[in-house]
Amino acid sequence: MDERQGDSLNQVPGRNLPPLRLHVPEPRFRPGDQVDFVEVAVPPAGAQPRPDPAAAAAEFTELAYTLVRVLGEDHQAHGPWDPKLPPETLRRMLRAMALTRAYDERMFRAQRQGKTSFYMKCTGEEAVAVAAAFALDRDDMCFPSYRQQGLLIARGWSLVDMMNQVYSNRADRLQGKQLPIMYSAKEAGFFSISGNLTTQYPQAVGWAMASAAKGDTRIAATWCGDGSTAEGDFHSACTFASVYRAPVILNVVNNQWAISSFSGFAGAEATTFAARAVGYGIAGLRVDGNDALAVYAATAWAAERARTNQGPTLIELFTYRAEGHSTSDDPTAYRSAAEPNAWPLGDPVRRLKDHLIALGEWDEARHAAQDVELAELVKASQKEAEANGILGHGLHQPFETMFEGVFEQLPWHLQEQREQMRAEEEASGRFWKAK
């Protein structure tokens, strides 16, 4: 081989470059670590501009990278996003948030007592659902994930009915067909919860498109977690919402954890979740999810945008999941136990309570009395629901109900199976009587 030819082979582009490697996201804190959260940027309350709801999305992309906040460290409301709600509305909102927390505590204990198989709390995220429910119209359709029970509670839905579903007892309107906490209440504008992640996103966009096609005035709102934004359904929904300017609010609840995987695996290290709106050309807001006034204001703004045919809005609700993913999860196995108390945005219930006290519209004694009242309300509701049965106390639904509530018209092969089941039940009954 010619010496010059050998030299040229040694000069292949990239030959002297270091080997390629992947970046694997790693949470900052693991069990036993000290926690500081100094990397979480918390801008001053009231510092973020509030654009006209009719403005083009490209005019306020910076709102996808900051944090819309209203309640400051002084417990007062600040800035253009202050919705200026009357004290009575604030008290009602606080009550709904406190009731949601009391309901969660009671149902969590019920699961630990073996009365149901599964439960999921929303501790630390109550403002995400409750404040949004107050900002939406009662007949707007909500497409929740599995941690927005506050929507039903804020809309005055029966606690007993919700508990019947958790227990899958004989009064469960869903006849035991859904996993506990996967409620469905059409009359409350609450679409059936699905255990498959983010299927509710394209459903919400489709519902909103249908509402617009019919010339209706109702809009849709949907919620998913930060991890769920990695699902294909999320991106399909964003595409359709953008192209057809669907009247829908797309909420991403960034509570920092997708079960035991921290938000970095869904892209949080690279940018914000609200920034995903920028690529689709839709409005994006990043909001303090523990600030009930900010959540209310952002939802009301997005709702106005949807109702006036300005298109969808993606809202990242920046919050923290204070407890485990579910009753099947032990968060101390993958994160520091100090994280919930160190979270810089605080407790949404306490923040709203402190705001009302600062206004002279509430006090600690009234709050304590309300907590006792709500605990008794939930306890009485539980007693009523448990009279309809709990887990392990026999079959609460007749076998035949397995054929009901799924198909509008039962297919022929299922009709045959139902008739076969009836015949076998009758034969079994005759045999029993003969014995």
Side-chain angles (χ1 to χ4, degrees):
M1 180 184 294
D2 187 277
E3 184 177 344
R4 288 172 299 178
Q5 184 180 3
D7 289 342
S8 66
L9 289 174
N10 290 330
Q11 296 173 9
V12 175
R15 178 63 60 86
N16 296 322
L17 293 177
L20 297 172
R21 63 177 181 270
L22 293 175
H23 167 69
V24 179
E26 179 70 22
R28 287 201 61 194
F29 314 112
R30 285 298 190 184
D33 290 346
Q34 295 295 317
V35 179
D36 52 34
F37 281 121
V38 292
E39 83 286 357
V40 176
V42 181
Q48 299 72 38
R50 183 184 184 277
D52 188 302
E59 295 180 13
F60 50 87
T61 56
E62 72 277 4
L63 291 179
Y65 300 93
T66 181
L67 201 61
V68 173
R69 304 180 69 227
V70 174
L71 290 175
E73 301 303 321
D74 58 359
H75 311 310
Q76 299 288 350
H78 299 273
W81 285 96
D82 177 9
K84 302 186 185 305
L85 297 174
E88 178 54 32
T89 300
L90 295 176
R91 284 191 290 267
R92 288 172 48 229
M93 193 183 301
L94 177 64
R95 179 183 176 84
M97 290 168 62
L99 179 56
T100 301
R101 185 165 294 185
Y103 174 81
D104 274 355
E105 289 295 334
R106 177 65 59 170
M107 290 293 94
F108 180 87
R109 289 202 299 273
Q111 191 278 336
R112 289 297 189 245
Q113 293 166 352
K115 296 178 178 180
T116 187
S117 60
F118 182 80
Y119 193 75
M120 300 182 78
K121 300 170 75 174
C122 64
T123 307
E125 302 176 39
E126 291 87 355
V128 164
V130 171
F134 272 76
L136 294 167
D137 286 353
R138 182 63 170 71
D139 59 353
D140 290 333
M141 182 58 77
C142 296
F143 292 77
S145 65
Y146 38 61
R147 218 181 296 276
Q148 280 80 57
Q149 52 267 46
L151 291 169
L152 285 172
I153 291 174
R155 288 183 165 181
W157 197 249
S158 166
L159 296 182
V160 176
D161 185 79
M162 295 172 67
M163 292 174 176
N164 286 334
Q165 195 282 324
V166 171
Y167 290 136
S168 298
N169 59 28
R170 61 178 173 271
D172 176 14
R173 291 180 300 103
L174 306 185
Q175 301 177 315
K177 292 184 173 68
Q178 281 275 54
L179 185 72
I181 62 86
M182 294 190 178
Y183 314 102
S184 178
K186 182 179 180 180
E187 299 87 344
F190 190 97
F191 198 81
S192 302
I193 295 176
S194 171
N196 298 316
L197 297 183
T198 329
T199 56
Q200 68 272 19
Y201 253 60
Q203 292 165 355
V205 173
W207 191 96
M209 290 171 61
S211 183
K214 293 186 296 186
D216 204 341
T217 59
R218 295 175 296 167
I219 66 172
T222 185
W223 290 257
C224 77
D226 48 278
S228 299
T229 62
E231 294 283 336
D233 281 350
F234 173 86
H235 297 281
S236 296
C238 287
T239 297
F240 274 83
S242 172
V243 170
Y244 295 101
R245 297 183 186 175
V248 62
I249 303 173
L250 308 167
N251 294 288
V252 175
V253 184
N254 179 8
N255 64 15
Q256 315 307 311
W257 293 95
I259 311 183
S260 60
S261 297
F262 90 114
S263 58
F265 282 102
E269 288 184 339
T271 186
T272 69
F273 291 101
R276 300 194 175 186
V278 177
Y280 287 103
I282 63 180
L285 302 176
R286 190 165 179 261
V287 178
D288 180 349
N290 288 20
D291 180 344
L293 297 189
V295 175
Y296 179 99
T299 304
W301 182 89
E304 181 179 349
R305 189 173 178 85
R307 291 188 212 285
T308 55
N309 296 308
Q310 304 304 316
T313 301
L314 190 154
I315 302 176
E316 176 187 348
L317 297 152
F318 194 62
T319 182
Y320 186 83
R321 195 194 75 210
E323 299 193 22
H325 174 74
S326 71
T327 50
S328 303
D329 176 45
D330 177 14
T332 64
Y334 54 82
R335 72 184 189 190
S336 172
E339 283 194 26
N341 292 330
W343 182 245
L345 299 180
D347 179 336
V349 176
R350 185 179 301 117
R351 287 177 67 183
L352 184 55
K353 178 198 73 172
D354 290 343
H355 175 56
L356 274 163
I357 292 174
L359 294 176
E361 297 289 345
W362 200 240
D363 55 60
E364 293 288 358
R366 292 171 70 184
H367 191 79
Q370 177 175 269
D371 280 345
V372 172
E373 175 204 349
L374 297 179
E376 289 299 320
L377 171 62
V378 174
K379 182 179 179 181
S381 300
Q382 181 187 29
K383 184 176 181 180
E384 183 178 346
E386 290 183 359
N388 297 315
I390 60 174
L391 179 71
H393 283 197
L395 182 66
H396 298 301
Q397 300 286 339
F399 275 126
E400 189 160 335
T401 61
M402 73 173 70
F403 296 98
E404 300 172 0
V406 178
F407 295 96
E408 183 176 4
Q409 292 185 337
L410 202 64
W412 66 268
H413 65 288
L414 293 182
Q415 292 181 30
E416 286 187 354
Q417 291 179 29
R418 182 176 63 184
E419 293 307 316
Q420 181 182 2
M421 183 200 70
R422 286 172 175 171
E424 291 177 353
E425 281 188 331
E426 290 176 2
S428 176
R430 286 195 298 271
F431 176 78
W432 177 257
K433 290 176 182 178
K435 291 282 286 186

